[in-house]
Amino acid sequence: MSQPTGYSRLQIRLHWIIFGLLVQQFVFHEWIAGAWDAYLDGETVAFHPLVAAHVIGGFTILVLALWRLRVRMTRGVPPPPKGDAPALELLAKSVHIAFYVVLIAMLTGGAVAWFGGVELAAEGHELMRFVLLGLFGLHLAGTLFHQFVRKDNLVDRMRHPVD
């Protein structure tokens, strides 16, 4: 497989759709947390559209993340920017791998907790929320470093497709 010079339109769309859905998950977190606490207290959990949005959003992110991973493995990704220190390249690659691992584990854990009533899975799901925020912070810091310090327009790769 040859290495593409940029991300495809599909890769870019999946990236931004997943990002938007993750923001939604954080916004609706309190609703699902309240429903989970009610479940643990033995109460009947009534249907609520924001709880449903969190559950459906999580499932959608899982499907899209797996799709994005499949596209990444079949199409490939552009090479790292020229001139990056090997340690920075390793950090960037590690953050991307960790994103997939944490997303898949977090979404699977959330489903096991919600549909299986497994409290340990819920606790893991909750902890991974902070790991995901940390990864997002690293990803954003790397993006800002490339855009404003290196000035290599790395951000354009996630804005302008190369099909």
Side-chain angles (χ1 to χ4, degrees):
M1 171 176 54
S2 64
Q3 194 167 38
T5 58
Y7 290 104
S8 70
R9 188 173 316 279
L10 175 61
Q11 287 172 304
I12 293 169
R13 284 182 180 159
L14 288 171
H15 174 273
W16 291 111
I17 291 168
I18 291 169
F19 172 74
L21 288 170
L22 284 170
V23 169
Q24 169 196 288
Q25 295 302 85
F26 280 92
V27 170
F28 296 155
H29 171 262
E30 292 308 314
W31 291 96
I32 193 102
W36 179 254
D37 289 342
Y39 166 79
L40 290 178
D41 292 340
E43 299 172 21
T44 302
V45 179
F47 174 81
H48 192 284
L50 294 181
V51 172
H54 188 88
V55 172
I56 293 166
F59 178 73
T60 304
I61 292 168
L62 179 59
V63 169
L64 295 178
L66 292 171
W67 186 11
R68 186 168 182 220
L69 189 56
R70 173 80 175 139
V71 172
R72 183 182 184 94
M73 291 180 343
T74 56
R75 183 185 186 276
V77 295
K82 293 184 188 307
D84 265 357
L88 286 180
E89 284 185 29
L90 178 62
L91 178 61
K93 187 172 188 160
S94 299
V95 167
H96 282 95
I97 290 168
F99 259 127
Y100 286 105
V101 170
V102 170
L103 272 179
I104 292 167
M106 183 179 194
L107 298 164
T108 303
V112 168
W114 188 252
F115 294 109
V118 179
E119 192 168 356
L120 184 60
E123 290 172 14
H125 181 78
E126 181 73 14
L127 278 173
M128 283 185 269
R129 175 170 81 118
F130 299 106
V131 175
L132 192 63
L133 283 172
L135 290 170
F136 172 74
L138 286 171
H139 186 63
L140 182 61
T143 302
L144 294 173
F145 172 76
H146 277 279
Q147 191 65 22
F148 297 112
V149 176
R150 296 277 314 272
K151 299 182 182 186
D152 57 12
N153 291 320
L154 186 72
V155 172
D156 284 347
R157 296 194 322 182
M158 248 329 132
R159 292 182 12 203
H160 305 292
V162 176
D163 286 319

